[in-house]
Amino acid sequence: MHYSYIFKRNAVDLYHQGLWPDTPDGISTENFRNTIRGWVRIEESCGPYALCHKEHNKEWSPEERYALVARVLAGESLKSVAYS
């Protein structure tokens, strides 16, 4: 299931308040809450815009590719580079 950026932001905000949004139909409450916890971790490590949908099939220039590889070689995790 795909969720909009606004939905994710609202869910994360409620989580920080100690509340949970209503679980959508077709997903278990446990899985939905685990998904929200994942969004919280993504936001904490990479910022709120990491919850936005990314452009698919982006064309990367050689300079952009080099910058991404350099970040990983400098010790940044693959996941954090991928989410940025």
Side-chain angles (χ1 to χ4, degrees):
M1 184 174 261
H2 295 282
Y3 301 99
S4 70
Y5 173 73
I6 302 291
F7 182 86
K8 292 177 185 180
R9 287 291 317 133
N10 290 336
V12 169
D13 288 341
L14 286 173
Y15 176 86
H16 287 300
Q17 296 171 20
L19 304 171
W20 295 102
D22 294 333
T23 303
D25 294 334
I27 187 170
S28 73
T29 300
E30 181 181 353
N31 286 343
F32 182 61
R33 289 183 178 183
N34 286 337
T35 299
I36 293 172
R37 287 183 192 103
W39 294 338
V40 170
R41 286 192 301 274
I42 290 169
E43 182 184 66
E44 287 172 352
S45 65
C46 302
Y49 294 107
L51 297 177
C52 291
H53 291 282
K54 303 296 182 199
E55 180 182 323
H56 295 284
N57 299 324
K58 179 180 177 182
E59 293 293 326
W60 297 90
S61 70
E63 294 79 17
E64 290 172 317
R65 291 178 187 191
Y66 177 81
L68 294 171
V69 171
R71 287 173 55 191
V72 173
L73 291 176
E76 195 171 340
S77 74
L78 288 173
K79 227 179 212 184
S80 67
V81 171
Y83 284 132
S84 63

mmCIF file of all heavy atoms in Angstrom, residues 3 20-37:
data_model
loop_
_atom_site.group_PDB
_atom_site.id
_atom_site.type_symbol
_atom_site.label_atom_id
_atom_site.label_comp_id
_atom_site.label_asym_id
_atom_site.label_seq_id
_atom_site.Cartn_x
_atom_site.Cartn_y
_atom_site.Cartn_z
ATOM 1 N N TYR A 3 1.332 5.306 0.624
ATOM 2 C CA TYR A 3 0.760 6.386 1.421
ATOM 3 C C TYR A 3 1.348 7.708 0.945
ATOM 4 O O TYR A 3 2.507 7.788 0.569
ATOM 5 C CB TYR A 3 1.092 6.188 2.904
ATOM 6 C CG TYR A 3 0.584 4.887 3.461
ATOM 7 C CD1 TYR A 3 1.437 3.797 3.598
ATOM 8 C CD2 TYR A 3 -0.738 4.736 3.853
ATOM 9 C CE1 TYR A 3 0.974 2.589 4.114
ATOM 10 C CE2 TYR A 3 -1.204 3.548 4.368
ATOM 11 C CZ TYR A 3 -0.342 2.476 4.489
ATOM 12 O OH TYR A 3 -0.809 1.299 4.996
ATOM 13 N N TRP A 20 -1.863 7.002 17.889
ATOM 14 C CA TRP A 20 -1.785 6.237 16.646
ATOM 15 C C TRP A 20 -2.938 6.652 15.738
ATOM 16 O O TRP A 20 -4.059 6.817 16.198
ATOM 17 C CB TRP A 20 -1.896 4.736 16.917
ATOM 18 C CG TRP A 20 -0.774 4.172 17.692
ATOM 19 C CD1 TRP A 20 -0.788 3.869 19.023
ATOM 20 C CD2 TRP A 20 0.525 3.840 17.225
ATOM 21 N NE1 TRP A 20 0.429 3.366 19.405
ATOM 22 C CE2 TRP A 20 1.261 3.323 18.314
ATOM 23 C CE3 TRP A 20 1.155 3.917 15.993
ATOM 24 C CZ2 TRP A 20 2.575 2.898 18.215
ATOM 25 C CZ3 TRP A 20 2.469 3.488 15.887
ATOM 26 C CH2 TRP A 20 3.165 2.988 16.982
ATOM 27 N N PRO A 21 -2.691 6.773 14.434
ATOM 28 C CA PRO A 21 -3.805 7.015 13.517
ATOM 29 C C PRO A 21 -4.625 5.734 13.360
ATOM 30 O O PRO A 21 -4.170 4.649 13.719
ATOM 31 C CB PRO A 21 -3.112 7.393 12.203
ATOM 32 C CG PRO A 21 -1.775 6.775 12.284
ATOM 33 C CD PRO A 21 -1.403 6.750 13.749
ATOM 34 N N ASP A 22 -5.821 5.871 12.827
ATOM 35 C CA ASP A 22 -6.650 4.695 12.567
ATOM 36 C C ASP A 22 -5.970 3.807 11.532
ATOM 37 O O ASP A 22 -5.409 4.297 10.550
ATOM 38 C CB ASP A 22 -8.029 5.115 12.053
ATOM 39 C CG ASP A 22 -8.828 5.869 13.106
ATOM 40 O OD1 ASP A 22 -8.587 5.637 14.313
ATOM 41 O OD2 ASP A 22 -9.678 6.685 12.721
ATOM 42 N N THR A 23 -6.026 2.511 11.769
ATOM 43 C CA THR A 23 -5.409 1.556 10.852
ATOM 44 C C THR A 23 -6.276 1.430 9.598
ATOM 45 O O THR A 23 -7.481 1.205 9.699
ATOM 46 C CB THR A 23 -5.279 0.185 11.527
ATOM 47 O OG1 THR A 23 -4.517 0.332 12.727
ATOM 48 C CG2 THR A 23 -4.590 -0.812 10.619
ATOM 49 N N PRO A 24 -5.677 1.582 8.414
ATOM 50 C CA PRO A 24 -6.449 1.431 7.173
ATOM 51 C C PRO A 24 -6.954 -0.006 7.015
ATOM 52 O O PRO A 24 -6.381 -0.948 7.558
ATOM 53 C CB PRO A 24 -5.445 1.772 6.067
ATOM 54 C CG PRO A 24 -4.310 2.452 6.742
ATOM 55 C CD PRO A 24 -4.303 1.978 8.148
ATOM 56 N N ASP A 25 -8.005 -0.151 6.243
ATOM 57 C CA ASP A 25 -8.538 -1.483 5.955
ATOM 58 C C ASP A 25 -7.518 -2.275 5.140
ATOM 59 O O ASP A 25 -6.792 -1.719 4.314
ATOM 60 C CB ASP A 25 -9.843 -1.379 5.163
ATOM 61 C CG ASP A 25 -10.957 -0.752 5.977
ATOM 62 O OD1 ASP A 25 -10.901 -0.854 7.219
ATOM 63 O OD2 ASP A 25 -11.874 -0.173 5.371
ATOM 64 N N GLY A 26 -7.465 -3.567 5.382
ATOM 65 C CA GLY A 26 -6.605 -4.440 4.597
ATOM 66 C C GLY A 26 -5.212 -4.630 5.154
ATOM 67 O O GLY A 26 -4.377 -5.264 4.505
ATOM 68 N N ILE A 27 -4.913 -4.071 6.307
ATOM 69 C CA ILE A 27 -3.589 -4.236 6.919
ATOM 70 C C ILE A 27 -3.795 -4.434 8.409
ATOM 71 O O ILE A 27 -4.694 -3.845 9.012
ATOM 72 C CB ILE A 27 -2.674 -3.019 6.624
ATOM 73 C CG1 ILE A 27 -1.255 -3.273 7.105
ATOM 74 C CG2 ILE A 27 -3.230 -1.759 7.220
ATOM 75 C CD1 ILE A 27 -0.245 -2.245 6.637
ATOM 76 N N SER A 28 -2.953 -5.275 9.001
ATOM 77 C CA SER A 28 -3.090 -5.508 10.439
ATOM 78 C C SER A 28 -2.558 -4.309 11.217
ATOM 79 O O SER A 28 -1.678 -3.582 10.736
ATOM 80 C CB SER A 28 -2.340 -6.778 10.855
ATOM 81 O OG SER A 28 -0.944 -6.566 10.833
ATOM 82 N N THR A 29 -3.092 -4.117 12.396
ATOM 83 C CA THR A 29 -2.666 -3.000 13.241
ATOM 84 C C THR A 29 -1.181 -3.103 13.551
ATOM 85 O O THR A 29 -0.456 -2.101 13.516
ATOM 86 C CB THR A 29 -3.491 -2.975 14.539
ATOM 87 O OG1 THR A 29 -4.867 -2.826 14.187
ATOM 88 C CG2 THR A 29 -3.079 -1.829 15.435
ATOM 89 N N GLU A 30 -0.710 -4.307 13.830
ATOM 90 C CA GLU A 30 0.712 -4.495 14.157
ATOM 91 C C GLU A 30 1.607 -4.094 12.984
ATOM 92 O O GLU A 30 2.591 -3.368 13.168
ATOM 93 C CB GLU A 30 0.968 -5.950 14.532
ATOM 94 C CG GLU A 30 2.407 -6.229 14.903
ATOM 95 C CD GLU A 30 2.656 -7.694 15.249
ATOM 96 O OE1 GLU A 30 1.687 -8.470 15.325
ATOM 97 O OE2 GLU A 30 3.828 -8.040 15.435
ATOM 98 N N ASN A 31 1.276 -4.536 11.784
ATOM 99 C CA ASN A 31 2.085 -4.183 10.613
ATOM 100 C C ASN A 31 2.042 -2.683 10.333
ATOM 101 O O ASN A 31 3.058 -2.073 9.984
ATOM 102 C CB ASN A 31 1.608 -4.940 9.375
ATOM 103 C CG ASN A 31 2.010 -6.391 9.397
ATOM 104 O OD1 ASN A 31 2.890 -6.794 10.150
ATOM 105 N ND2 ASN A 31 1.353 -7.194 8.581
ATOM 106 N N PHE A 32 0.871 -2.078 10.496
ATOM 107 C CA PHE A 32 0.747 -0.640 10.253
ATOM 108 C C PHE A 32 1.590 0.151 11.252
ATOM 109 O O PHE A 32 2.292 1.088 10.880
ATOM 110 C CB PHE A 32 -0.720 -0.228 10.328
ATOM 111 C CG PHE A 32 -0.956 1.222 10.034
ATOM 112 C CD1 PHE A 32 -0.624 1.767 8.808
ATOM 113 C CD2 PHE A 32 -1.518 2.051 10.991
ATOM 114 C CE1 PHE A 32 -0.848 3.105 8.536
ATOM 115 C CE2 PHE A 32 -1.750 3.385 10.727
ATOM 116 C CZ PHE A 32 -1.411 3.910 9.496
ATOM 117 N N ARG A 33 1.555 -0.241 12.507
ATOM 118 C CA ARG A 33 2.347 0.464 13.518
ATOM 119 C C ARG A 33 3.841 0.260 13.293
ATOM 120 O O ARG A 33 4.634 1.176 13.513
ATOM 121 C CB ARG A 33 1.923 0.025 14.911
ATOM 122 C CG ARG A 33 0.539 0.568 15.245
ATOM 123 C CD ARG A 33 0.095 0.229 16.627
ATOM 124 N NE ARG A 33 -1.216 0.840 16.879
ATOM 125 C CZ ARG A 33 -1.844 0.780 18.021
ATOM 126 N NH1 ARG A 33 -1.309 0.144 19.050
ATOM 127 N NH2 ARG A 33 -3.017 1.355 18.159
ATOM 128 N N ASN A 34 4.236 -0.908 12.835
ATOM 129 C CA ASN A 34 5.647 -1.130 12.498
ATOM 130 C C ASN A 34 6.068 -0.247 11.327
ATOM 131 O O ASN A 34 7.192 0.269 11.297
ATOM 132 C CB ASN A 34 5.899 -2.596 12.170
ATOM 133 C CG ASN A 34 5.907 -3.477 13.392
ATOM 134 O OD1 ASN A 34 6.143 -3.010 14.510
ATOM 135 N ND2 ASN A 34 5.637 -4.756 13.208
ATOM 136 N N THR A 35 5.173 -0.064 10.380
ATOM 137 C CA THR A 35 5.453 0.819 9.249
ATOM 138 C C THR A 35 5.663 2.251 9.731
ATOM 139 O O THR A 35 6.603 2.933 9.302
ATOM 140 C CB THR A 35 4.289 0.770 8.234
ATOM 141 O OG1 THR A 35 4.153 -0.571 7.753
ATOM 142 C CG2 THR A 35 4.528 1.705 7.065
ATOM 143 N N ILE A 36 4.816 2.702 10.641
ATOM 144 C CA ILE A 36 4.949 4.063 11.184
ATOM 145 C C ILE A 36 6.274 4.200 11.934
ATOM 146 O O ILE A 36 6.970 5.204 11.792
ATOM 147 C CB ILE A 36 3.757 4.418 12.086
ATOM 148 C CG1 ILE A 36 2.481 4.511 11.251
ATOM 149 C CG2 ILE A 36 3.999 5.739 12.828
ATOM 150 C CD1 ILE A 36 1.216 4.671 12.046
ATOM 151 N N ARG A 37 6.631 3.193 12.714
ATOM 152 C CA ARG A 37 7.929 3.248 13.420
ATOM 153 C C ARG A 37 9.081 3.354 12.423
ATOM 154 O O ARG A 37 10.069 4.054 12.665
ATOM 155 C CB ARG A 37 8.088 2.008 14.298
ATOM 156 C CG ARG A 37 7.209 2.018 15.522
ATOM 157 C CD ARG A 37 7.468 0.777 16.395
ATOM 158 N NE ARG A 37 6.452 0.642 17.403
ATOM 159 C CZ ARG A 37 5.431 -0.222 17.347
ATOM 160 N NH1 ARG A 37 5.308 -1.073 16.338
ATOM 161 N NH2 ARG A 37 4.535 -0.267 18.310
#
